[in-house]
Amino acid sequence: MRRGFVWLLAGTAAALAVLAAVGGAAGEWVPGVWGAACAGAAGFVVPAVWDRVKERRDRVRTELERRSAAVARLAEVSDEMTAPPAMPTVPRPRGTGDVVGLLRPQRAVVAFIGREGELRRLREWCHADGRNGGDGVSVGGGGGGGTGAAVALVTGTGGVGKTRLALRLAEELRQRGWSCRWVRAGGEADVVTTVREVGAAPVLLVVDYAETRTGLRALLTAVAGSRSGQGGPERDSRRLRVLLLARSEGEWWERLQGVPGPVGAAVAGAVTVALEPGVLPRWPERQLVAEAVPQFARALGIPPPRHAEVTLADEGVPLLVLHAAALVLVLRAREAGAPGAPAALPGAALPVAALPVAVGSAVLDELLRHEKRYWYESAAIAALTGPGGLDTTAVQRCVAVTSLLDADSEAAAADLLSLVPGLDAPWCDPLRRRTARWLSTLYPGTSPGAVGPLQPDLLAEHHIARQLDRSPEMARLIGLRLDASHARRALTVLTRAHAHQPGVEAVLEGWLAARLPELAEAAVTVAVETPGPLGPLMARVLAEADLPLTALQHVKRAIPYPTLALAEADMVVTHHIVEALPEEATPERRAMWLEALGLAFHQVGRRMEALAPMEEAERIRRRLVRLSPEQHRPGLAACLSSLGHRLAEAGRVPEALTAAQEAVGLYRDLAHTFPSSPDRYRPALAECLNSLGMRLSEAGRVDEALAATQEAVDLELVGYAPDRRPHVLAMLLHNLGNRLFEAGREDEALAPTREAADLYRELVRHAPDRHRPGLASCLNNLGNRLSDAGLRAEALTAAQEAVDLYRDLARTSPDRYRPGLAACLNNLGNRLSDAGREQDALVSIEEAVRVHRALHRELRQGPRRDPVRFPYRAQARTNTDRADVDRFRHALAASLRNLGIQLTAVGRDVEARAAHAEAASLTGDGPP
């Protein structure tokens, strides 16, 4: 268009010039006329054209200003994943640089090797539509991986190679025209919108330490919104991918999966890649070290050592430690080539003796010794050492403190350095400021004047753990100074360090014991994000703590429900709250906390203890109903429903049935009382009818049990929508299948059980922590139903999956899930036997016997040592533990009979007779 305007102006000027010349030749009167005509034409054409040019220029300027502002905003919330720097070609003088910096993945000193399968999977995820280059799928359309295709998660322990894998992927994508960026902490909410304003290239956003990012949900919401078309058709017409890097899939990931709507769906459908900590496929660990040695030598400007002997001290060594071993070999060679050592010819391998390196934690210690030398030399150059300055110990502690805690400015770093013993006096302020300035140049942070941590993370965690262990006073001071801005990072770093430095557990326990109420929210967040010792430590500290009621309630509110990591801590704090309730507390409040205590006991599998507080809550609720029936009947109904479950778990079937019947009657009355609001009590009535069906089944009243369960399903399906209560429908269908089977209607039992399993699978995709137990139980029964229907291959698959799920659950909460694991192992053995795999069947049934034997033995031995003494325990044991012992005695006997049958099938008749004899002694008149 601009070219058209230029030609228009040129043509107009030329025409006017010709007319003026002709007019001049025709006489004097003509110039006046032609001049006026020319002036009029120019006055009409030139301003109009100029206005259009100016308008176009203003639009271009506005667009350039908008883009420039977007680029500036993008730099505030993210960093470009640039290509790694070239390897230095000039030898670096000894002591003039940090050696551990060579291990940083961004330096890429060692060539990328291995991880072909993981890289291929991520590459395919980025190009899910099958196209090449920059032509991506519509962000709002979805391709390849569906809704979840925008998100991928790479997990692995520290030093296993997550960052290097992400950098390699980014390097490949940049060559295809992608924009690849690290998302800064705090920039998650704005990065998606900002990156779209900058350009139209496909984008990869990488979020490191994803499990610690409080803004991650906002980022995923923005991504999910754009994929649903909320970002506008033009800007969303390209590919957007979000790669998350984390140590593990913990409860943080499960809770994101449970977020309703597109965010949960995106996370549930995410591509997940787990990096194993040990050897890369087809690459022996010794070979990995040998390959890295010459590359580190070249980076340091010296010949590689002639010998590189490696001893593997630990199994499953992370790749970073293998590279650290290679670097240590090269550094030893450099020291051997120093003045006074045998000289090497230029380009020749250094003649180094005694070069074997034990690959393990000792390698990190040796590498830190080299790095400390760099710190000392650098500090001396900065005039920080000497009389009145820093000694070697203080230098090490300064690096540890600023690596543990955030220091976003020199002033913040100087303040943190007051936690170092010897630097806390007021007259040390000038030294602290100069030390902070030195640290900001030693390890620059992301903003001017900020101090970054020692890198790589594994080395920093190792150094921090050692310094806190050597200076309990510094550890104590840090714990006392932790605030909201520092607590989460400090707890995260030490929880990660615990995997290879278990001594930090004492530091964590000391911090929690001193300031549990202030640290509770951060500790709960970290326990959910990072698997480690925090959950058990909180339970231990709470058991010994003497906290006021308000502080206990604060801790309780911080703990989510349900939870596996913090279930024991939840049990302890809830018990303390019940004990701390004042005498003037209202009966309703006391009943509420007693019910919460029963639920907390149940969550950790403490069936016996769960019953007593529920019975006490029931008595309180009944007194309240007598005083005000209309106000308190709903509370009594809910309490009776829960009490029925606890009574059944304790083996008190008749009482459990009575409680369930009364709860159903109360809810029926309430539903009739409010006929204009049928949904008010119908859901609760459906769940109570389901419970009643289970209690009637336990009492042997099969037909009544089926009728109650069928009514529950029918009530739940009235006006049912898929997003209403799918977990309740799955539970009801599962139990309906069980009731149909008990009633002899095996052909009808399979369909609802299969449908329940499908619902549970979908629920587990969104919230595994909450729904894996339901899926495991359902799959166990589905295997039996499929076997009854003659579908043996499907039955075996379901039984194996149920065992796998119960194994995972039992590792986290053994009291609650070991009985289910034993039952599933028995069923798996039967399915394997049906498939003709008799030896495999025997292995599974033998394991079931071992689990049942352990459960029976533990109950007979009496109560275990608890983190807190519960007054309900003695009461519970006298009333109900005998029933539990009897239950597991019969379960062990059943497993032994199953074992006897299988031993006979493989021809081991003598052992089979012994198993049957032991089963008979358990259920006969002999001693249990």
Side-chain angles (χ1 to χ4, degrees):
M1 184 175 289
R2 172 180 287 182
R3 182 174 296 176
F5 288 150
V6 171
W7 281 110
L8 176 61
L9 289 171
T12 302
L16 292 175
V18 171
L19 290 173
V22 172
E28 292 182 359
W29 64 273
V30 177
V33 174
W34 283 106
C38 291
F44 173 76
V45 175
V46 175
V49 172
W50 177 248
D51 288 344
R52 298 183 67 180
V53 171
K54 184 179 179 183
E55 180 184 351
R56 170 69 173 175
R57 182 193 63 191
D58 291 342
R59 284 202 303 270
V60 170
R61 179 185 295 128
T62 301
E63 177 62 22
L64 289 174
E65 291 174 350
R66 184 199 63 78
R67 181 179 173 82
S68 177
V71 169
R73 287 196 302 274
L74 184 61
E76 294 174 355
V77 298
S78 66
D79 298 294
E80 186 177 356
M81 298 177 70
T82 54
M87 232 177 263
T89 56
V90 180
R92 295 169 60 183
R94 182 167 173 251
T96 60
D98 63 309
V99 293
V100 300
L102 298 176
L103 291 172
R104 297 191 67 177
Q106 291 82 357
R107 295 288 295 272
V109 171
V110 179
F112 184 89
I113 56 175
R115 302 296 188 198
E116 296 95 345
E118 294 90 342
L119 187 59
R120 184 187 316 111
R121 189 174 181 196
L122 291 174
R123 192 185 299 122
E124 292 171 352
W125 162 66
C126 289
H127 301 290
D129 60 344
R131 301 181 189 178
N132 295 321
D135 298 328
V137 298
S138 168
V139 179
T147 303
V151 181
L153 172 67
V154 174
T155 59
T157 56
V160 81
K162 301 182 294 295
T163 302
R164 189 66 193 277
L165 180 64
L167 287 166
R168 179 69 174 190
L169 176 66
E171 183 182 355
E172 292 187 4
L173 293 178
R174 280 197 309 272
Q175 296 173 2
R176 293 174 174 266
W178 283 61
S179 173
C180 304
R181 305 193 68 87
W182 295 107
V183 179
R184 291 187 183 182
E188 298 88 356
D190 302 321
V191 68
V192 173
T193 302
T194 308
V195 81
R196 285 200 180 90
E197 294 176 351
V198 170
V203 178
L204 173 71
L205 298 176
V206 182
V207 183
D208 206 357
Y209 310 107
E211 69 271 37
T212 69
R213 298 293 190 97
T214 55
L216 184 58
R217 182 168 173 177
L219 187 152
L220 296 175
T221 300
V223 173
S226 70
R227 290 174 64 80
S228 61
Q230 298 174 15
E234 292 185 3
R235 291 183 184 172
D236 291 343
S237 61
R238 62 198 170 85
R239 187 182 290 114
L240 173 65
R241 295 290 184 263
V242 177
L243 178 61
L244 309 177
L245 308 180
R247 292 282 176 103
S248 65
E249 290 185 36
E251 284 194 29
W252 71 277
W253 185 245
E254 294 173 352
R255 293 191 179 282
L256 280 174
Q257 290 175 319
V259 174
V263 171
V267 174
V271 172
T272 56
V273 177
L275 303 185
E276 295 300 324
V279 184
L280 295 176
R282 302 188 305 279
W283 286 90
E285 291 176 328
R286 288 182 176 83
Q287 183 179 351
L288 287 169
V289 176
E291 292 277 343
V293 164
Q295 298 177 71
F296 281 119
R298 185 164 61 253
L300 289 170
I302 64 173
R306 187 180 302 146
H307 303 292
E309 300 177 19
V310 179
T311 304
L312 300 178
D314 303 319
E315 294 184 0
V317 179
L319 182 62
L320 175 68
V321 178
L322 297 175
H323 284 173
L327 181 54
V328 165
L329 285 165
V330 175
L331 292 171
R332 289 183 184 178
R334 186 174 70 174
E335 289 180 344
L345 296 174
L350 290 175
V352 180
L355 273 183
V357 172
V359 178
S361 59
V363 164
L364 300 181
D365 286 328
E366 183 168 350
L367 195 58
L368 274 170
R369 284 197 294 271
H370 288 277
E371 187 72 359
K372 290 170 186 176
R373 182 185 305 163
Y374 164 54
W375 300 342
Y376 307 151
E377 294 175 355
S378 174
I381 293 172
L384 294 172
T385 59
L390 303 177
D391 59 17
T392 56
T393 300
V395 168
Q396 296 176 38
R397 291 174 179 174
C398 288
V399 174
V401 167
T402 53
S403 295
L404 177 64
L405 305 174
D406 290 314
D408 56 5
S409 67
E410 285 185 14
D415 182 56
L416 291 178
L417 293 178
S418 64
L419 299 171
V420 176
L423 292 181
D424 52 344
W427 56 83
C428 292
D429 186 58
L431 178 59
R432 289 197 300 266
R433 289 200 302 269
R434 289 191 293 119
T435 304
R437 190 174 306 115
W438 164 68
L439 286 168
S440 70
T441 59
L442 185 75
Y443 297 123
T446 56
S447 58
V451 179
L454 171 66
Q455 291 287 333
D457 292 340
L458 194 64
L459 200 67
E461 293 161 8
H462 191 82
H463 176 62
I464 292 165
R466 292 297 173 90
Q467 294 304 312
L468 294 178
D469 178 63
R470 292 169 183 170
S471 179
E473 176 63 13
M474 185 171 74
R476 186 187 68 84
L477 291 173
I478 291 173
L480 293 175
R481 280 277 301 276
L482 288 178
D483 55 18
S485 62
H486 291 132
R488 188 177 174 193
R489 172 172 170 78
L491 293 172
T492 298
V493 171
L494 292 197
T495 300
R496 289 172 171 172
H498 182 267
H500 51 89
Q501 294 287 329
V504 301
E505 183 171 317
V507 177
L508 287 169
E509 185 171 3
W511 289 354
L512 293 175
R515 301 182 61 221
L516 182 58
E518 296 89 344
L519 298 178
E521 292 183 12
V524 166
T525 300
V526 175
V528 169
E529 293 172 347
T530 309
L534 273 181
L537 281 178
M538 283 189 68
R540 191 188 310 167
V541 169
L542 282 164
E544 303 297 331
D546 184 15
L547 298 176
L549 180 58
T550 54
L552 291 169
Q553 290 174 326
H554 175 74
V555 175
K556 171 70 175 179
R557 284 192 296 270
I559 298 176
Y561 181 85
T563 176
L564 293 176
L566 293 156
E568 191 171 6
D570 182 61
M571 174 187 68
V572 177
V573 72
T574 309
H575 170 263
H576 279 322
I577 290 173
V578 170
E579 292 296 296
L581 286 174
E583 293 184 3
E584 62 271 17
T586 64
E588 188 170 10
R589 184 185 179 197
R590 187 174 297 277
M592 178 193 72
W593 281 113
L594 285 166
E595 290 162 355
L597 179 58
L599 191 61
F601 277 129
H602 169 72
Q603 186 174 221
V604 295
R606 308 281 284 272
R607 294 176 300 275
M608 302 304 103
E609 291 91 334
L611 179 58
M614 290 301 306
E615 288 179 318
E616 186 176 344
E618 179 219 6
R619 290 191 290 271
I620 295 173
R621 296 284 186 190
R622 288 194 185 280
R623 289 197 297 269
L624 290 171
V625 167
R626 285 194 291 271
L627 295 172
S628 178
E630 295 302 320
Q631 181 181 354
H632 295 293
R633 276 194 304 165
L636 176 60
C639 181
L640 286 168
S641 181
S642 295
L643 177 61
H645 287 294
R646 304 294 85 82
L647 287 164
E649 290 172 347
R652 293 161 60 178
V653 175
E655 296 169 83
L657 176 57
T658 300
Q661 289 171 325
E662 186 177 357
V664 167
L666 282 169
Y667 275 122
R668 287 195 193 280
D669 291 343
L670 289 166
H672 292 150
T673 304
F674 300 95
S676 60
S677 303
D679 289 338
R680 184 170 182 178
Y681 292 108
R682 185 168 58 200
L685 176 58
E687 292 185 57
C688 268
L689 283 165
N690 175 65
S691 300
L692 177 61
M694 296 169 67
R695 305 293 83 82
L696 288 165
S697 171
E698 291 159 356
R701 295 159 63 174
V702 175
D703 293 336
E704 294 174 80
L706 176 58
T709 308
Q710 185 65 65
E711 184 183 357
V713 173
D714 294 342
L715 277 174
E716 186 65 22
L717 290 175
V718 173
Y720 181 77
D723 59 347
R724 184 184 169 194
R725 298 200 308 168
H727 63 289
V728 174
L729 181 60
M731 173 186 66
L732 296 179
L733 289 170
H734 179 199
N735 286 331
L736 178 61
N738 292 338
R739 302 294 85 79
L740 286 166
F741 173 77
E742 292 166 354
R745 296 160 63 175
E746 293 89 345
D747 294 342
E748 301 172 63
L750 177 58
T753 309
R754 193 193 290 271
E755 186 176 352
D758 292 341
L759 281 170
Y760 272 124
R761 287 189 193 281
E762 184 65 22
L763 288 163
V764 166
R765 287 181 64 244
H766 293 278
D769 191 40
R770 178 174 298 181
H771 298 297
R772 277 187 303 164
L775 176 61
S777 175
C778 187
L779 286 170
N780 183 43
N781 286 324
L782 178 61
N784 294 335
R785 301 294 83 78
L786 288 165
S787 177
D788 295 337
L791 302 171
R792 292 185 173 180
E794 290 183 69
L796 177 57
T797 300
Q800 183 63 67
E801 188 177 355
V803 167
D804 293 341
L805 284 167
Y806 267 114
R807 281 196 199 282
D808 288 340
L809 292 166
R811 274 193 287 268
T812 305
S813 184
D815 283 354
R816 187 173 181 182
Y817 296 113
R818 275 191 304 165
L821 172 61
C824 284
L825 285 165
N826 263 323
N827 286 335
L828 176 61
N830 295 336
R831 302 293 78 78
L832 287 165
S833 179
D834 292 342
R837 296 166 56 181
E838 303 295 352
Q839 288 296 337
D840 292 337
L842 180 60
V843 170
S844 182
I845 296 170
E846 285 175 332
E847 184 180 357
V849 170
R850 288 196 298 273
V851 175
H852 271 137
R853 198 185 295 281
L855 289 166
H856 183 233
R857 182 178 62 251
E858 290 166 11
L859 280 171
R860 292 186 64 193
Q861 288 173 347
R864 66 191 150 181
R865 184 178 180 181
D866 285 311
V868 64
R869 296 179 62 85
F870 298 111
Y872 300 108
R873 169 168 285 284
Q875 182 180 347
R877 289 196 62 79
T878 56
N879 291 339
T880 59
D881 271 16
R882 172 53 57 183
D884 222 21
V885 171
D886 290 343
R887 182 159 63 96
F888 283 118
R889 178 160 54 87
H890 285 283
L892 174 58
S895 284
L896 286 166
R897 283 192 290 270
N898 204 23
L899 176 62
I901 293 170
Q902 194 58 37
L903 286 167
T904 300
V906 298
R908 294 162 60 177
D909 295 336
V910 175
E911 295 168 84
R913 286 194 293 273
H916 283 298
E918 184 180 358
S921 71
L922 287 169
T923 56
D925 297 330

